[in-house]
Amino acid sequence: MPLPAVIAAILTFGCASSASAETSGERDWHYRDGETAENWSAANPRYAMCDRGTMQSPIDLSAVATRGTARFATAYGPAIAKLTVGPGKVKIAADEGMGLIHGGRLFPLRQVHFHTPAEHKIHGKLYPLAAHFVHATDDGELTVLGVTFEAGAANPALQTILDAATNGADNVELDFAQLAPRDPAVYRYMGSLTTPPCSEGVNWFVADTVMTASQEQIAAMTDRLGTSNRSLQPLNGRLVLAPEN
Ligand SMILES: [Zn+2]
């Protein structure tokens, strides 16, 4: 059975991209300054949801009042993964066997990609780097885990990815578990893909624990990705669960 289009898109591109971009290999949309709305529906009517949707991502998670424990678990580990590097894109496809468990269901990990700076705002600020772990079931239900990085100790898996990108390698051998905090407390809400077509119904988890990457690693990733964070989107009364302290 062919995979739903949204899964095919996330396998090919970042969070997702359009069929037209898929065939041309170029994006027909661009980021703004991180605060001004992107207005992607004007770039392509297929992206209407980006501006008309009411459950869009990313959001500011700093001021969330509802607290509780979101039950989930991740299963990441060592793998040889396909690396895709392009304009505004550094992505590693995931091996089978990894995933996120939530609500008694396994969401298989499809790919991990990066944004500079981070997209969700936590602890009152935008951190310089985020990794998005994109999971999808075969019937197209999406779950994304956002992991945020600040300047500090170097991250070994990130270095492996950066070295492979510099060397033009097609595959990279790394431990996916090194890119995410172990058993993190998470924010939980329903949102969207943060790139066109901005499809909604995405189960978002954002780790409260901030990882570190070295200044050099953050700079190298920023050099490759440029500004790659969508502007913050209105909450529109959505329930957001923040981790209990
Ligand atoms: Zn993303």
Side-chain angles (χ1 to χ4, degrees):
M1 194 177 76
L3 289 172
V6 68
I7 298 184
I10 62 166
L11 290 174
T12 312
F13 283 89
C15 274
S17 199
S18 72
S20 58
E22 198 169 333
T23 48
S24 71
E26 290 178 13
R27 296 190 312 203
D28 57 357
W29 52 272
H30 303 280
Y31 289 104
R32 298 283 289 271
D33 57 10
E35 292 182 10
T36 313
E38 276 71 22
N39 197 19
W40 282 329
S41 63
N44 187 329
R46 293 163 53 97
Y47 308 153
M49 183 63 80
C50 300
D51 297 313
R52 201 179 301 153
T54 57
M55 300 177 70
Q56 291 288 297
S57 296
I59 60 173
D60 182 354
L61 295 163
S62 306
V64 173
T66 308
R67 298 200 173 264
T69 303
R71 292 180 184 281
F72 90 117
T74 55
Y76 305 142
I80 297 173
K82 185 178 185 310
L83 174 70
T84 308
V85 178
K89 176 170 64 178
V90 173
K91 187 189 77 175
I92 44 175
D95 240 5
E96 287 187 20
M98 293 188 279
L100 184 152
I101 298 134
H102 169 61
R105 300 172 63 199
L106 172 69
F107 294 80
L109 180 65
R110 307 286 179 167
Q111 48 106 330
V112 180
H113 64 266
F114 300 89
H115 296 267
T116 54
E119 295 205 298
H120 288 88
K121 197 172 185 178
I122 59 172
H123 311 153
K125 63 179 186 176
L126 274 185
Y127 287 89
L129 172 67
H132 285 166
F133 288 69
V134 182
H135 314 75
T137 59
D138 284 344
D139 58 3
E141 190 174 344
L142 293 167
T143 295
V144 183
L145 171 64
V147 176
T148 308
F149 293 82
E150 64 183 338
N155 181 290
L158 200 59
Q159 193 60 47
T160 303
I161 295 167
L162 287 166
D163 289 346
T166 301
N167 297 332
D170 292 328
N171 293 299
V172 59
E173 186 173 358
L174 81 162
D175 186 351
F176 280 68
Q178 292 178 342
L179 288 173
R182 187 182 297 268
D183 301 323
V186 290
Y187 300 87
R188 158 94 175 100
Y189 78 102
M190 290 303 293
S192 74
L193 300 177
T194 65
T195 54
C198 308
S199 312
E200 296 189 338
V202 176
N203 298 282
W204 266 100
F205 295 89
V206 177
D208 188 50
T209 305
V210 176
M211 306 276 288
T212 65
S214 68
Q215 288 278 15
E216 293 75 16
Q217 290 177 327
I218 290 169
M221 196 60 92
T222 303
D223 274 353
R224 290 201 172 274
L225 298 179
T227 298
S228 48
N229 65 316
R230 187 187 189 193
S231 62
L232 292 166
Q233 303 295 305
L235 191 57
N236 292 327
R238 275 174 286 178
L239 176 67
V240 181
L241 205 60
E244 289 173 294
N245 293 322

